[in-house]
PDB file of all heavy atoms in Angstrom:
ATOM      1  N   ILE A   1     128.219  79.469  71.633  1.00 94.00           N
ATOM      2  CA  ILE A   1     127.860  80.492  72.672  1.00 94.00           C
ATOM      3  C   ILE A   1     126.743  81.419  72.153  1.00 94.00           C
ATOM      4  O   ILE A   1     126.705  81.787  71.014  1.00 94.00           O
ATOM      5  CB  ILE A   1     129.070  81.360  73.091  1.00 94.00           C
ATOM      6  CG1 ILE A   1     130.050  80.507  73.785  1.00 94.00           C
ATOM      7  CG2 ILE A   1     128.728  82.455  73.964  1.00 94.00           C
ATOM      8  CD1 ILE A   1     131.479  81.088  74.015  1.00 94.00           C
ATOM      9  N   GLY A   2     125.712  81.593  72.982  1.00 95.00           N
ATOM     10  CA  GLY A   2     124.674  82.390  72.528  1.00 95.00           C
ATOM     11  C   GLY A   2     123.413  81.636  72.097  1.00 95.00           C
ATOM     12  O   GLY A   2     122.427  82.208  71.941  1.00 95.00           O
ATOM     13  N   LYS A   3     123.637  80.376  71.853  1.00 95.00           N
ATOM     14  CA  LYS A   3     122.573  79.530  71.288  1.00 95.00           C
ATOM     15  C   LYS A   3     121.810  78.907  72.471  1.00 95.00           C
ATOM     16  O   LYS A   3     122.378  78.768  73.486  1.00 95.00           O
ATOM     17  CB  LYS A   3     123.091  78.434  70.388  1.00 95.00           C
ATOM     18  CG  LYS A   3     123.747  78.949  69.092  1.00 95.00           C
ATOM     19  CD  LYS A   3     122.774  79.665  68.237  1.00 95.00           C
ATOM     20  CE  LYS A   3     123.421  80.140  66.952  1.00 95.00           C
ATOM     21  NZ  LYS A   3     122.461  80.882  66.058  1.00 95.00           N
ATOM     22  N   PRO A   4     120.540  78.421  72.259  1.00 96.00           N
ATOM     23  CA  PRO A   4     119.859  77.782  73.334  1.00 96.00           C
ATOM     24  C   PRO A   4     120.327  76.388  73.658  1.00 96.00           C
ATOM     25  O   PRO A   4     120.647  75.660  72.723  1.00 96.00           O
ATOM     26  CB  PRO A   4     118.374  77.777  72.901  1.00 96.00           C
ATOM     27  CG  PRO A   4     118.492  77.849  71.311  1.00 96.00           C
ATOM     28  CD  PRO A   4     119.731  78.736  71.062  1.00 96.00           C
ATOM     29  N   ALA A   5     120.482  76.150  74.867  1.00 97.00           N
ATOM     30  CA  ALA A   5     120.805  74.706  75.238  1.00 97.00           C
ATOM     31  C   ALA A   5     119.815  73.761  75.051  1.00 97.00           C
ATOM     32  O   ALA A   5     118.583  74.211  74.855  1.00 97.00           O
ATOM     33  CB  ALA A   5     121.243  74.695  76.723  1.00 97.00           C
ATOM     34  N   LEU A   6     120.013  72.531  74.981  1.00 96.00           N
ATOM     35  CA  LEU A   6     119.067  71.435  74.575  1.00 96.00           C
ATOM     36  C   LEU A   6     118.319  71.112  76.036  1.00 96.00           C
ATOM     37  O   LEU A   6     119.038  70.562  76.862  1.00 96.00           O
ATOM     38  CB  LEU A   6     119.678  70.188  74.027  1.00 96.00           C
ATOM     39  CG  LEU A   6     120.552  70.440  72.740  1.00 96.00           C
ATOM     40  CD1 LEU A   6     121.133  69.162  72.254  1.00 96.00           C
ATOM     41  CD2 LEU A   6     119.681  71.162  71.650  1.00 96.00           C
ATOM     42  N   PRO A   7     117.094  71.184  76.052  1.00 97.00           N
ATOM     43  CA  PRO A   7     116.384  70.779  77.281  1.00 97.00           C
ATOM     44  C   PRO A   7     116.283  69.295  77.292  1.00 97.00           C
ATOM     45  O   PRO A   7     116.259  68.569  76.263  1.00 97.00           O
ATOM     46  CB  PRO A   7     114.942  71.420  77.022  1.00 97.00           C
ATOM     47  CG  PRO A   7     114.749  71.638  75.612  1.00 97.00           C
ATOM     48  CD  PRO A   7     116.176  71.810  75.104  1.00 97.00           C
ATOM     49  N   PHE A   8     116.253  68.736  78.564  1.00 97.00           N
ATOM     50  CA  PHE A   8     116.149  67.271  78.784  1.00 97.00           C
ATOM     51  C   PHE A   8     115.659  66.991  80.070  1.00 97.00           C
ATOM     52  O   PHE A   8     115.765  67.790  81.085  1.00 97.00           O
ATOM     53  CB  PHE A   8     117.443  66.500  78.409  1.00 97.00           C
ATOM     54  CG  PHE A   8     118.681  67.020  79.311  1.00 97.00           C
ATOM     55  CD1 PHE A   8     118.787  66.495  80.584  1.00 97.00           C
ATOM     56  CD2 PHE A   8     119.512  67.978  78.916  1.00 97.00           C
ATOM     57  CE1 PHE A   8     119.853  66.807  81.455  1.00 97.00           C
ATOM     58  CE2 PHE A   8     120.651  68.306  79.637  1.00 97.00           C
ATOM     59  CZ  PHE A   8     120.853  67.728  80.882  1.00 97.00           C
ATOM     60  N   ASN A   9     115.389  65.764  80.283  1.00 97.00           N
ATOM     61  CA  ASN A   9     114.915  65.173  81.605  1.00 97.00           C
ATOM     62  C   ASN A   9     115.798  63.976  81.848  1.00 97.00           C
ATOM     63  O   ASN A   9     116.151  63.176  80.911  1.00 97.00           O
ATOM     64  CB  ASN A   9     113.486  64.676  81.658  1.00 97.00           C
ATOM     65  CG  ASN A   9     112.544  65.920  81.513  1.00 97.00           C
ATOM     66  OD1 ASN A   9     112.514  66.792  82.485  1.00 97.00           O
ATOM     67  ND2 ASN A   9     111.732  66.009  80.440  1.00 97.00           N
ATOM     68  N   ALA A  10     116.264  63.849  83.108  1.00 97.00           N
ATOM     69  CA  ALA A  10     117.136  62.690  83.393  1.00 97.00           C
ATOM     70  C   ALA A  10     116.989  62.436  84.853  1.00 97.00           C
ATOM     71  O   ALA A  10     116.230  63.017  85.649  1.00 97.00           O
ATOM     72  CB  ALA A  10     118.600  63.132  83.096  1.00 97.00           C
ATOM     73  N   THR A  11     117.617  61.396  85.355  1.00 97.00           N
ATOM     74  CA  THR A  11     117.619  60.947  86.750  1.00 97.00           C
ATOM     75  C   THR A  11     119.081  60.858  87.142  1.00 97.00           C
ATOM     76  O   THR A  11     119.885  60.154  86.602  1.00 97.00           O
ATOM     77  CB  THR A  11     116.942  59.693  86.891  1.00 97.00           C
ATOM     78  OG1 THR A  11     115.645  59.732  86.398  1.00 97.00           O
ATOM     79  CG2 THR A  11     116.873  59.252  88.397  1.00 97.00           C
ATOM     80  N   THR A  12     119.423  61.445  88.411  1.00 97.00           N
ATOM     81  CA  THR A  12     120.749  61.372  88.999  1.00 97.00           C
ATOM     82  C   THR A  12     121.013  60.049  89.615  1.00 97.00           C
ATOM     83  O   THR A  12     120.081  59.173  89.764  1.00 97.00           O
ATOM     84  CB  THR A  12     121.008  62.490  89.936  1.00 97.00           C
ATOM     85  OG1 THR A  12     120.106  62.215  91.054  1.00 97.00           O
ATOM     86  CG2 THR A  12     120.642  63.781  89.288  1.00 97.00           C
ATOM     87  N   MET A  13     122.227  59.822  90.004  1.00 97.00           N
ATOM     88  CA  MET A  13     122.641  58.552  90.560  1.00 97.00           C
ATOM     89  C   MET A  13     121.972  58.400  91.967  1.00 97.00           C
ATOM     90  O   MET A  13     121.825  57.220  92.468  1.00 97.00           O
ATOM     91  CB  MET A  13     124.110  58.494  90.729  1.00 97.00           C
ATOM     92  CG  MET A  13     124.895  58.424  89.408  1.00 97.00           C
ATOM     93  SD  MET A  13     126.763  58.145  89.556  1.00 97.00           S
ATOM     94  CE  MET A  13     126.706  56.381  90.035  1.00 97.00           C
ATOM     95  N   ASN A  14     121.507  59.435  92.590  1.00 95.00           N
ATOM     96  CA  ASN A  14     120.888  59.333  93.904  1.00 95.00           C
ATOM     97  C   ASN A  14     119.355  59.198  93.664  1.00 95.00           C
ATOM     98  O   ASN A  14     118.532  59.318  94.670  1.00 95.00           O
ATOM     99  CB  ASN A  14     121.218  60.449  94.889  1.00 95.00           C
ATOM    100  CG  ASN A  14     120.847  61.835  94.337  1.00 95.00           C
ATOM    101  OD1 ASN A  14     120.156  61.948  93.400  1.00 95.00           O
ATOM    102  ND2 ASN A  14     121.405  62.784  94.854  1.00 95.00           N
ATOM    103  N   GLY A  15     118.835  59.136  92.462  1.00 96.00           N
ATOM    104  CA  GLY A  15     117.469  58.951  92.136  1.00 96.00           C
ATOM    105  C   GLY A  15     116.649  60.189  92.018  1.00 96.00           C
ATOM    106  O   GLY A  15     115.415  60.208  91.750  1.00 96.00           O
ATOM    107  N   SER A  16     117.283  61.439  92.046  1.00 96.00           N
ATOM    108  CA  SER A  16     116.593  62.618  91.969  1.00 96.00           C
ATOM    109  C   SER A  16     116.408  62.975  90.432  1.00 96.00           C
ATOM    110  O   SER A  16     117.227  62.878  89.609  1.00 96.00           O
ATOM    111  CB  SER A  16     117.443  63.774  92.546  1.00 96.00           C
ATOM    112  OG  SER A  16     117.652  63.531  93.892  1.00 96.00           O
ATOM    113  N   PRO A  17     115.189  63.420  90.141  1.00 96.00           N
ATOM    114  CA  PRO A  17     114.808  63.826  88.718  1.00 96.00           C
ATOM    115  C   PRO A  17     115.549  65.174  88.401  1.00 96.00           C
ATOM    116  O   PRO A  17     115.701  66.061  89.118  1.00 96.00           O
ATOM    117  CB  PRO A  17     113.356  63.974  88.684  1.00 96.00           C
ATOM    118  CG  PRO A  17     112.994  64.369  90.034  1.00 96.00           C
ATOM    119  CD  PRO A  17     114.042  63.673  90.974  1.00 96.00           C
ATOM    120  N   VAL A  18     115.892  65.392  87.126  1.00 96.00           N
ATOM    121  CA  VAL A  18     116.510  66.536  86.593  1.00 96.00           C
ATOM    122  C   VAL A  18     115.581  67.067  85.398  1.00 96.00           C
ATOM    123  O   VAL A  18     115.376  66.255  84.524  1.00 96.00           O
ATOM    124  CB  VAL A  18     117.947  66.271  86.112  1.00 96.00           C
ATOM    125  CG1 VAL A  18     118.519  67.595  85.416  1.00 96.00           C
ATOM    126  CG2 VAL A  18     118.892  65.855  87.249  1.00 96.00           C
ATOM    127  N   GLU A  19     115.195  68.250  85.558  1.00 97.00           N
ATOM    128  CA  GLU A  19     114.489  68.891  84.384  1.00 97.00           C
ATOM    129  C   GLU A  19     115.398  70.078  83.945  1.00 97.00           C
ATOM    130  O   GLU A  19     115.348  71.065  84.533  1.00 97.00           O
ATOM    131  CB  GLU A  19     113.141  69.370  84.805  1.00 97.00           C
ATOM    132  CG  GLU A  19     112.304  69.867  83.659  1.00 97.00           C
ATOM    133  CD  GLU A  19     110.887  70.274  84.082  1.00 97.00           C
ATOM    134  OE1 GLU A  19     110.577  70.050  85.254  1.00 97.00           O
ATOM    135  OE2 GLU A  19     110.055  70.742  83.302  1.00 97.00           O
ATOM    136  N   PHE A  20     116.120  69.926  82.909  1.00 97.00           N
ATOM    137  CA  PHE A  20     117.136  70.914  82.498  1.00 97.00           C
ATOM    138  C   PHE A  20     116.668  71.733  81.307  1.00 97.00           C
ATOM    139  O   PHE A  20     115.910  71.149  80.436  1.00 97.00           O
ATOM    140  CB  PHE A  20     118.432  70.103  81.965  1.00 97.00           C
ATOM    141  CG  PHE A  20     119.538  71.017  81.571  1.00 97.00           C
ATOM    142  CD1 PHE A  20     120.393  71.483  82.570  1.00 97.00           C
ATOM    143  CD2 PHE A  20     119.633  71.414  80.270  1.00 97.00           C
ATOM    144  CE1 PHE A  20     121.417  72.254  82.210  1.00 97.00           C
ATOM    145  CE2 PHE A  20     120.696  72.257  79.929  1.00 97.00           C
ATOM    146  CZ  PHE A  20     121.490  72.729  80.831  1.00 97.00           C
ATOM    147  N   PRO A  21     116.747  72.948  81.395  1.00 96.00           N
ATOM    148  CA  PRO A  21     117.465  73.771  82.408  1.00 96.00           C
ATOM    149  C   PRO A  21     116.552  74.407  83.367  1.00 96.00           C
ATOM    150  O   PRO A  21     116.927  75.147  84.278  1.00 96.00           O
ATOM    151  CB  PRO A  21     118.183  74.904  81.628  1.00 96.00           C
ATOM    152  CG  PRO A  21     117.233  75.150  80.529  1.00 96.00           C
ATOM    153  CD  PRO A  21     116.560  73.817  80.205  1.00 96.00           C
ATOM    154  N   LYS A  22     115.314  74.083  83.411  1.00 95.00           N
ATOM    155  CA  LYS A  22     114.223  74.717  84.099  1.00 95.00           C
ATOM    156  C   LYS A  22     114.501  74.691  85.550  1.00 95.00           C
ATOM    157  O   LYS A  22     114.282  75.749  86.316  1.00 95.00           O
ATOM    158  CB  LYS A  22     112.872  74.055  83.783  1.00 95.00           C
ATOM    159  CG  LYS A  22     111.732  74.633  84.477  1.00 95.00           C
ATOM    160  CD  LYS A  22     110.368  73.980  84.201  1.00 95.00           C
ATOM    161  CE  LYS A  22     109.262  74.513  84.793  1.00 95.00           C
ATOM    162  NZ  LYS A  22     107.985  73.909  84.465  1.00 95.00           N
ATOM    163  N   GLN A  23     114.970  73.632  86.108  1.00 95.00           N
ATOM    164  CA  GLN A  23     115.199  73.447  87.569  1.00 95.00           C
ATOM    165  C   GLN A  23     116.316  74.277  88.091  1.00 95.00           C
ATOM    166  O   GLN A  23     116.639  74.386  89.241  1.00 95.00           O
ATOM    167  CB  GLN A  23     115.262  72.119  88.049  1.00 95.00           C
ATOM    168  CG  GLN A  23     116.692  71.395  87.805  1.00 95.00           C
ATOM    169  CD  GLN A  23     116.672  69.954  88.275  1.00 95.00           C
ATOM    170  OE1 GLN A  23     115.863  69.160  87.859  1.00 95.00           O
ATOM    171  NE2 GLN A  23     117.586  69.743  89.280  1.00 95.00           N
ATOM    172  N   TYR A  24     117.081  74.917  87.200  1.00 97.00           N
ATOM    173  CA  TYR A  24     118.370  75.734  87.505  1.00 97.00           C
ATOM    174  C   TYR A  24     118.065  77.186  87.379  1.00 97.00           C
ATOM    175  O   TYR A  24     118.921  78.030  87.244  1.00 97.00           O
ATOM    176  CB  TYR A  24     119.500  75.302  86.755  1.00 97.00           C
ATOM    177  CG  TYR A  24     119.877  73.934  86.887  1.00 97.00           C
ATOM    178  CD1 TYR A  24     119.610  72.971  86.034  1.00 97.00           C
ATOM    179  CD2 TYR A  24     120.752  73.611  88.003  1.00 97.00           C
ATOM    180  CE1 TYR A  24     120.059  71.591  86.225  1.00 97.00           C
ATOM    181  CE2 TYR A  24     121.134  72.351  88.253  1.00 97.00           C
ATOM    182  CZ  TYR A  24     120.765  71.297  87.384  1.00 97.00           C
ATOM    183  OH  TYR A  24     121.196  70.082  87.521  1.00 97.00           O
ATOM    184  N   ALA A  25     116.703  77.519  87.510  1.00 95.00           N
ATOM    185  CA  ALA A  25     116.314  79.000  87.387  1.00 95.00           C
ATOM    186  C   ALA A  25     117.033  79.848  88.503  1.00 95.00           C
ATOM    187  O   ALA A  25     117.197  79.371  89.654  1.00 95.00           O
ATOM    188  CB  ALA A  25     114.883  79.107  87.558  1.00 95.00           C
ATOM    189  N   GLY A  26     117.569  80.925  88.131  1.00 95.00           N
ATOM    190  CA  GLY A  26     118.237  81.824  89.005  1.00 95.00           C
ATOM    191  C   GLY A  26     119.648  81.516  89.211  1.00 95.00           C
ATOM    192  O   GLY A  26     120.460  82.093  89.946  1.00 95.00           O
ATOM    193  N   LYS A  27     120.164  80.375  88.512  1.00 97.00           N
ATOM    194  CA  LYS A  27     121.538  79.919  88.659  1.00 97.00           C
ATOM    195  C   LYS A  27     122.196  79.759  87.275  1.00 97.00           C
ATOM    196  O   LYS A  27     121.505  79.936  86.150  1.00 97.00           O
ATOM    197  CB  LYS A  27     121.588  78.557  89.289  1.00 97.00           C
ATOM    198  CG  LYS A  27     120.918  78.522  90.724  1.00 97.00           C
ATOM    199  CD  LYS A  27     120.925  77.132  91.375  1.00 97.00           C
ATOM    200  CE  LYS A  27     120.321  77.140  92.765  1.00 97.00           C
ATOM    201  NZ  LYS A  27     120.334  75.735  93.296  1.00 97.00           N
ATOM    202  N   ILE A  28     123.476  79.516  87.346  1.00 97.00           N
ATOM    203  CA  ILE A  28     124.190  79.059  86.059  1.00 97.00           C
ATOM    204  C   ILE A  28     124.702  77.571  86.320  1.00 97.00           C
ATOM    205  O   ILE A  28     125.055  77.208  87.549  1.00 97.00           O
ATOM    206  CB  ILE A  28     125.288  79.919  85.650  1.00 97.00           C
ATOM    207  CG1 ILE A  28     126.406  80.008  86.723  1.00 97.00           C
ATOM    208  CG2 ILE A  28     124.699  81.332  85.308  1.00 97.00           C
ATOM    209  CD1 ILE A  28     127.617  80.881  86.249  1.00 97.00           C
ATOM    210  N   VAL A  29     124.699  76.680  85.326  1.00 98.00           N
ATOM    211  CA  VAL A  29     125.021  75.379  85.548  1.00 98.00           C
ATOM    212  C   VAL A  29     125.932  74.914  84.431  1.00 98.00           C
ATOM    213  O   VAL A  29     125.787  75.215  83.302  1.00 98.00           O
ATOM    214  CB  VAL A  29     123.822  74.425  85.605  1.00 98.00           C
ATOM    215  CG1 VAL A  29     122.964  74.661  84.327  1.00 98.00           C
ATOM    216  CG2 VAL A  29     124.150  72.978  85.767  1.00 98.00           C
TER     217      VAL A  29
END
């Protein structure tokens, strides 16, 4: 807790790209 999460890129099962954590700005995931 308090440490930076590891950034990564992935693709979901429905084909959508994931850019973590950048695309979750304004949210918690």
Side-chain angles (χ1 to χ4, degrees):
I1 294 174
K3 298 296 182 177
L6 305 179
F8 62 81
N9 292 297
T11 302
T12 67
M13 295 185 73
N14 62 15
S16 300
V18 175
E19 188 175 0
F20 182 87
K22 184 178 179 180
Q23 77 178 59
Y24 296 98
K27 303 178 180 181
I28 61 175
V29 56

